[in-house]
Amino acid sequence: MTKRPEEIALMAESGRLLADVFSRLDQLDLIGMSTMAVNDLVDRYIIDDLQARPASKGQYGYAYALNASRNSVVCHGVPSASEILQDGDIVNFDITLEKNGYIADSSKTYLVGAVSSAARKLVQVTYEALWMGIHTVRPGAQLGDIGHAIARHASRNGYSVVREYCGHGIGREMHEAPQVLHWGKPKTGLVLREGMTFTIEPMLNQGGRAVHTEDDGWTVVTDDGKLSAQFEHTVAVTRTGVQVLTLRPDEQARH
């Protein structure tokens, strides 16, 4: 589960390129775009501009460069030419990128146009919860510390944490050990060691935590139809703490 320094350096390069993809998305006016149009733009940008590979494409039989999860979609939303982003939507784009044999994984929930204050708060608290999880990471900490920090922040704000999906180890493969749950008890679970690399990717629901998968076999939605938001970063445990391998330029001054 641990990587050598040279492997983490390669993962950091993949992470830097993936952060660049999100910087490209930040420039878009998403209103009126289809989720398939966003997918196609990302696919071309990763291949043509970054000379890298969209790692989700072909993984588990999935055909696209990203997941587009809008409003009540929790995760694994499939891009579609007929799904048009509307003023007031929230949408998560979850993207993986492979360069030099190593994979980075990250996601961001976007506010499309004039979003309600309730939706805006859900997105903000989800982002804060991600960082509360990240800030617990250091050698000697335990996986339960990450989940506890995330779930505590969610519950304090009246949100529920999806339990069916979790973070994961990552490197040459998209999904490696360990599983990183977004709830848990402090001082329980696997002890973190320098060189571990994994994702933290909490999904917070406005209502209950119950979810189900739609008939397409991919799209996961909230049972109650209320909004869900997600953010994700790939991190490495360092000698003194944590390195966020997919840190975006707009985050560097804040974190």
Side-chain angles (χ1 to χ4, degrees), residues 7-186:
E7 291 181 289
I8 291 176
L10 289 169
M11 289 186 69
E13 174 61 9
S14 296
R16 184 188 69 79
L17 294 175
L18 183 51
D20 190 50
V21 176
F22 285 98
S23 295
R24 178 70 183 90
L25 289 180
D26 291 345
Q27 299 167 19
L28 299 178
D29 179 1
L30 293 171
I31 297 174
M33 285 189 75
S34 73
T35 52
M36 185 64 81
V38 179
N39 172 81
D40 293 348
L41 183 150
V42 166
D43 191 46
R44 289 194 305 270
Y45 190 71
I46 291 174
I47 295 168
D48 296 340
D49 293 72
L50 303 180
Q51 278 78 56
R53 182 178 71 85
S56 300
K57 206 171 169 181
Q59 178 89 358
Y60 309 122
Y62 190 73
Y64 305 102
L66 55 72
N67 292 122
S69 302
R70 184 170 67 108
N71 295 335
S72 62
V73 178
V74 176
C75 60
H76 302 164
V78 179
S80 167
S82 60
E83 184 176 42
I84 307 301
L85 296 170
Q86 309 282 346
D87 187 39
D89 283 342
I90 64 171
V91 61
N92 177 273
F93 295 120
D94 189 344
I95 307 169
T96 58
L97 180 150
E98 181 261 313
K99 181 80 172 180
N100 299 318
Y102 287 88
I103 297 172
D105 189 358
S106 185
S107 84
K108 176 178 178 178
T109 297
Y110 284 83
L111 306 172
V112 183
V115 173
S116 71
S117 58
R120 188 177 295 272
K121 183 189 174 190
L122 171 67
V123 172
Q124 179 62 33
V125 170
T126 305
Y127 184 67
E128 291 166 358
L130 166 70
W131 278 98
M132 288 186 174
I134 290 171
H135 288 318
T136 68
V137 175
R138 66 186 184 282
Q142 291 175 258
L143 283 179
D145 300 334
I146 299 173
H148 175 72
I150 290 167
R152 181 178 58 186
H153 191 61
S155 63
R156 282 177 175 173
N157 285 277
Y159 302 129
S160 57
V161 177
V162 174
R163 294 194 174 195
E164 284 79 358
Y165 303 92
C166 61
H168 50 87
I170 188 169
R172 286 191 173 275
E173 301 294 331
M174 190 186 301
H175 295 112
E176 301 179 353
Q179 290 193 330
V180 182
L181 305 184
H182 302 121
W183 76 97
K185 294 181 180 178

Side-chain angles (χ1 to χ4, degrees), residues 190-239:
L190 186 72
V191 176
L192 303 183
R193 306 190 302 276
E194 180 182 358
M196 284 182 173
T197 54
F198 50 84
T199 72
I200 304 174
E201 47 182 295
M203 304 161 208
L204 270 55
N205 291 351
Q206 217 173 26
R209 68 175 180 85
V211 302
H212 64 273
T213 304
E214 293 193 329
D215 291 342
D216 64 5
W218 290 105
T219 307
V220 178
V221 297
T222 57
D223 275 5
D224 56 18
K226 293 186 177 179
L227 297 177
S228 185
Q230 182 187 18
F231 285 88
E232 175 183 13
H233 273 311
T234 298
V235 305
V237 183
T238 67
R239 184 173 56 82

